[in-house]
Each structure stands twice: as C-alpha cells, then as structure tokens.
Amino acid sequence: MKKLLLSLASLFAFFGCQNKQTAEPTVKVTNQTIILSSQGKVINFDLDNKKVTWEYTSAVDEAGNRNKFTFDETTLYMPFESGKLVALDIHTGKEKWSYTAGQSGMMDMAVGEDGTYTEERGEPYFMGQPLQYKDKVYMVSIGGGNDPYFYVINKGDGTEVKTEGIETKYNLSQPVLCQEMIFVNSGIYLNKYSLLGTGTSYGMYDGITFDSPLYAQMRSNGETLYFGEEEGMFYAIPFSKDADVKGDNDDIMDPKNNFKDNLSIYSWRYRSKEYPKLATNADSNTALYGKTFVVQVRKGDSDAQALIGLNTKDGLEQWTYRSAEEIVNWNLSGERIIGYTTEKVFVLDLQGKELETYAVNSEFKPLTNIELTKDDQLVFLTTQGLTTIDKTTKQAKILIAYAMKEEYHNTAYLKYFRN
C-alpha cells in the first residue's frame, strides 16, 4: 500500500509539473455561477437563486461583440470589438480598469449631440480571447483598418507594457503560453514572444512560414505546442527549457532549417485520411486534456465532420466521433465533451464515446457553448435566456429568463463556475 501511495503521489506530481503553466484558475463563488458575454454585455447569473447578479455593458459595442473573456482567481478580462479591454471584478462586475487600443480609425462612427453613436460599425479591432499569466494580459488585434498589434498589458492597472507589430490581421485565436514564452498564430506565421512582448527567434532560418493559415486554436501542456493548418495538417513541437526547438539542424543560415523542411523539430505530424480539412468555425476547434489533443476536421466534399482524439505523445488516433452534419459548437466541460449540430446536442466521455443525445428544438436553439454543472445539468443560452435540458423528458426549459437576439454569428460565450 505504501508503494502504491508513493506511485500515485509521483504521478500527481508529474502531471502537476507538466500542466502548472496551463492549469485553469480556481474562482471561489458562493453560488453556482454562469458568466456570459454577448452583444456588448457581460452578465453574471446566479444559478442557485435563478437571478442576474450583475451586468456590464460597453455602449459602443452593443451592436455586437464576438470576443471571449479570460479570467484569474478574482478578475475577468474582457475585450470588445471597439478596441477596449476591461478588467471586471468577477463577484461584483465593478470595472477595475479599462484599456483602449491607441490606434485611430478603429470604428467608422460619429458621435451625435446626445452622445450616441450615429454611424455604422467599421471593421472590428479586437476579435479574439486574451491570455492572462502572472501579472500580464496578452492580446492580439486584427487592426480595425490600421496595422495589427500584439499587446502586453499590466493586470494590476491596465497600463500598456508593450505593443509589437504583427504580420497579418488574421489574429482570431488566443495567445498560448509554452515554456515561459507567448506564442501567437497570425495567418501563416507562428510568432514567439518573451513575457515582456519582445519577438524572439526559434534558432531557425529567418522568415519561416507555413503553407496555409494556422486557423486551429493552439494548445500547450507547458512543454509542447500543438497546432494545425487550415489544410488539415496538425503538429506537435516540443521545446527545450529555453523555448528552443529540439531539431537536429541548428544552422540559422541554412534555408532548409524551417518549419517545412526541418521535420526533426516535430514529435509528430498528423492529417486524417477520411477528414483531411480543418473544420473552421467561429469558435474553438481544438481541446487538450491529459494525453489527448482533440481536433475538429471535415471532409472536403460534404458537410460531414468529425472530432478526433489524438495521442499527444505520437499523434496516433485514439478515437473518432463522426457527424453527418456540421458540428456547430463544442467544448470541454468538466469530464465531458459537449456540442451540438443543427440536429442534436451530444455528450461524449473523454474517450469519445457518445453518452447522450437530445434533439435541437428550434424554439430553444443553442446560441453558445454548452456547460455541464455539478448537478449534471446542461446549461446554454437561447433567445429566451439561460436554458437547460430535462434529462427525463429530453425537453429544453428556461432556467433564467433573459431575452437575447440571435446574431448571424452565434459567438456568445459562457463559463460555469461551481461553488
């Protein structure tokens, strides 16, 4: 028994070390809580008392906002399309600070005499999710009609630490932390920055790029970076403690020392024969848990899609969940993978086995990701408010009424916090 306990302790220590940079912060809440971002608002719902605890509204963004928030133990960091990034107290919704990107022309709007905005929205400025780590927040812009930038912001007061120009405006993914470096995918570029925002080298030939855009959300276990191209190729790059690649060619003057020719830098590469294309959607299309990297892929000539679980060590397929229709949205929630197509809501275990399905009722069409509560409730947003599914009748019902509009892109986002 003593030997078994020592083995378990060693195992937990190993996984704790592996994931110390990427573990989700623990937020202490009195009641079960859902926080939702949509249409220029952030809303805190108390599930136990079935009420709205607080709301925050960015008036200039009420026409729509497709960004996601991130959080630490006490604070929520929310970007808006107008170029504003705010820090909100998770418990009260009070604004701690507000940062506005210092570029002009981000919105094609004019202010009337009554203080309202009278023109149509222009190109968005922020279109992604920030990364928070230690005392900094990291964010990438798409430009809003100006040059795009990588931003480093102080978490304490919202002051700007550094801005760094970035190659393209296709910056829709959350920055990722790996070996104390920040990685950003911008179109066909994979950029690496120090924690203070300085661009750094891989020790490879200058000007290295990929053949197609890196539109998959990158993931990291702290030592290895997992990512994928639009053309359906996925990669795993392990980094040294100095965040350098571990390939067998370290000649920075050799043009063959690049992402396409120096294949020794990868622990594996993968492309599905049955589903050879990345399934790009407005939400996340990857997940990482334990020793599994999940990707969403599609067939090139039909609506058929699949979620495929890859072994993080060798890139081999562990499981495949097939769908005849487009998988509109899916996410990892607790010990389940939950998503929906145009026809059904599905619940998978972490081995990709389908556990439950529920027909999608047009009256209660999901507008967000679906979260699983500690009471085994499936919770999501519809046009009528927070909604759950009765697992006995398999019928959807309103949990907390709150009228919402259905947007062309249903990119509202919610997060569950258990007490």
Side-chain angles (χ1 to χ4, degrees):
M1 176 61 73
K2 184 177 181 180
K3 184 177 180 180
L4 175 61
L5 290 174
L6 286 173
S7 298
L8 288 173
S10 299
L11 183 65
F12 292 145
F14 172 76
F15 280 110
C17 179
Q18 287 290 93
N19 295 287
K20 67 179 181 179
Q21 298 186 75
T22 54
E24 189 172 86
T26 298
V27 177
K28 294 181 180 180
V29 291
T30 303
N31 300 309
Q32 293 185 90
T33 299
I34 287 282
I35 297 184
L36 165 74
S37 62
S38 180
Q39 300 169 7
K41 292 184 177 182
V42 183
I43 309 164
N44 181 303
F45 294 94
D46 178 344
L47 295 188
D48 293 328
N49 295 300
K50 295 182 172 54
K51 66 178 184 179
V52 173
T53 303
W54 57 258
E55 293 185 33
Y56 175 90
T57 300
S58 173
V60 71
D61 294 281
E62 285 188 286
N65 187 62
R66 289 162 283 186
N67 292 280
K68 294 181 179 180
F69 56 80
T70 192
F71 57 92
D72 58 22
E73 290 80 2
T74 61
T75 307
L76 182 147
Y77 304 94
M78 181 72 219
F80 292 93
E81 291 187 26
S82 59
K84 181 168 66 174
L85 174 67
V86 299
L88 305 176
D89 184 286
I90 287 181
H91 301 286
T92 66
K94 180 180 178 180
E95 183 181 294
K96 296 183 175 182
W97 53 256
S98 177
Y99 169 84
T100 300
Q103 301 296 311
S104 61
M106 64 185 71
M107 303 287 287
D108 292 332
M109 287 187 168
V111 182
E113 292 181 359
D114 60 353
T116 60
Y117 291 87
T118 59
E119 300 291 330
E120 293 297 319
R121 292 171 61 87
E123 183 182 20
Y125 198 82
F126 287 145
M127 277 288 288
Q129 184 176 19
L131 168 72
Q132 68 82 26
Y133 181 59
K134 292 185 177 179
D135 60 347
K136 303 290 190 299
V137 178
Y138 303 91
M139 187 67 191
V140 184
S141 73
I142 71 169
N146 300 277
D147 294 331
Y149 286 88
F150 172 61
Y151 293 85
V152 183
I153 308 297
N154 277 316
K155 283 171 59 173
D157 57 9
T159 55
E160 182 181 291
V161 177
K162 186 177 177 62
T163 61
E164 184 87 2
I166 197 166
E167 290 87 351
T168 81
K169 67 177 184 179
Y170 302 106
N171 304 307
L172 308 178
S173 298
Q174 183 183 35
V176 172
L177 176 74
C178 186
Q179 291 290 29
E180 296 292 309
M181 288 287 181
I182 307 297
F183 291 82
V184 173
N185 54 332
S186 180
I188 59 175
Y189 296 89
L190 179 60
N191 295 329
K192 182 174 71 169
Y193 301 92
S194 72
L195 294 180
L196 293 178
T198 303
T200 63
S201 168
Y202 291 91
M204 301 171 72
Y205 187 73
D206 193 29
I208 48 181
T209 64
F210 287 84
D211 288 327
S212 66
L214 306 176
Y215 286 155
Q217 174 61 55
M218 296 186 294
R219 304 292 177 185
S220 167
N221 64 3
E223 296 179 350
T224 299
L225 191 68
Y226 305 94
F227 59 99
E229 290 183 277
E230 185 180 38
E231 291 303 309
M233 183 68 78
F234 294 88
Y235 305 87
I237 297 183
F239 289 94
S240 68
K241 291 183 179 179
D242 296 325
D244 291 329
V245 295
K246 297 180 179 180
D248 56 16
N249 183 352
D250 58 2
D251 184 358
I252 63 173
M253 302 303 292
D254 182 359
K256 291 294 184 180
N257 185 13
N258 59 59
F259 288 128
K260 291 178 282 188
D261 296 308
N262 186 4
L263 302 185
S264 65
I265 67 173
Y266 304 106
S267 54
W268 53 260
R269 298 186 303 156
Y270 164 83
R271 191 181 190 190
S272 169
K273 293 180 180 179
E274 186 178 1
Y275 300 91
K277 299 286 187 179
L278 175 70
T280 54
N281 56 31
D283 208 80
S284 176
N285 46 22
T286 66
L288 179 67
Y289 56 86
K291 295 183 179 180
T292 303
F293 177 50
V294 185
V295 300
Q296 181 184 353
V297 286
R298 63 180 174 86
K299 291 185 177 179
D301 56 353
S302 73
D303 293 331
Q305 297 191 357
L307 300 180
I308 300 179
L310 304 177
N311 188 305
T312 56
K313 182 178 180 180
D314 52 24
L316 296 179
E317 296 179 6
Q318 294 180 310
W319 54 263
T320 300
Y321 178 74
R322 295 174 174 82
S323 172
E325 315 92 46
E326 175 191 0
I327 299 174
V328 179
N329 188 301
W330 67 279
N331 71 296
L332 182 67
S333 182
E335 297 297 306
R336 295 290 182 262
I337 296 171
I338 308 172
Y340 56 91
T341 70
T342 54
E343 303 293 330
K344 68 179 181 181
V345 172
F346 60 85
V347 180
L348 313 180
D349 66 15
L350 297 186
Q351 287 72 48
K353 179 183 178 182
E354 186 176 83
L355 302 176
E356 306 161 19
T357 62
Y358 306 92
V360 170
N361 183 327
S362 58
E363 183 182 2
F364 297 104
K365 175 183 175 182
L367 304 181
T368 61
N369 55 301
I370 300 175
E371 289 275 72
L372 182 68
T373 72
K374 69 176 185 180
D375 303 320
D376 206 32
Q377 283 186 308
L378 299 174
V379 181
F380 53 97
L381 179 72
T382 67
T383 56
Q384 301 180 55
L386 275 188
T387 302
T388 188
I389 297 175
D390 186 302
K391 294 194 174 183
T392 302
T393 64
K394 292 199 169 187
Q395 298 298 309
K397 61 181 181 180
I398 298 301
L399 195 61
I400 303 176
Y402 193 101
M404 297 292 290
K405 295 185 299 180
E406 179 177 359
E407 301 287 358
Y408 178 74
H409 295 291
N410 294 327
T411 52
Y413 172 66
L414 59 82
K415 179 66 181 177
Y416 168 72
F417 300 93
R418 62 179 296 165
N419 57 348

